[in-house]
Amino acid sequence: VKALLADDRADPAAEESAALRFASRNGNFEVVALLLERSSPAAMDNWAVKWAAQNAHTDTAELMLGKKDAVCSTSDRIETVRL
């Protein structure tokens, strides 16, 4: 995911943030944190948040609601992403 996001041709907001919706549905917290930098959980009437909550991925839903910090590991350090 990091490699794709590094390419300016990649658009994670494409198809109303489909990548974010599917990552949130599966509870992939770290991927959601990365995608939030360039896509919106509000797309398609907040379906990314709804899917995370419906599938008991509370931490992922809270991240998208801005209630939680995301810790994303990079190649040599850890960064905190504040939303």
Side-chain angles (χ1 to χ4, degrees):
V1 172
K2 290 177 189 177
L4 289 172
L5 291 175
D7 187 335
D8 289 335
R9 296 173 296 173
D11 182 9
E15 298 186 37
E16 299 186 71
S17 296
L20 181 64
R21 287 195 317 275
F22 290 107
S24 67
R25 182 185 70 182
N26 295 323
N28 197 325
F29 185 88
E30 202 168 292
V31 170
V32 167
L34 292 169
L35 292 171
L36 281 173
E37 295 175 15
R38 292 180 43 200
S39 59
S40 172
M44 290 192 63
D45 196 26
N46 297 304
W47 267 108
V49 178
K50 291 175 186 177
W51 273 356
Q54 287 172 353
N55 289 297
H57 303 303
T58 308
D59 58 340
T60 304
E62 287 178 348
L63 170 64
M64 289 184 285
L65 292 171
K67 294 181 182 176
K68 193 168 192 159
D69 289 345
V71 178
C72 303
S73 59
T74 60
S75 59
D76 59 350
R77 67 185 191 284
I78 297 206
E79 297 176 351
T80 300
V81 180
R82 297 209 183 268
L83 304 175

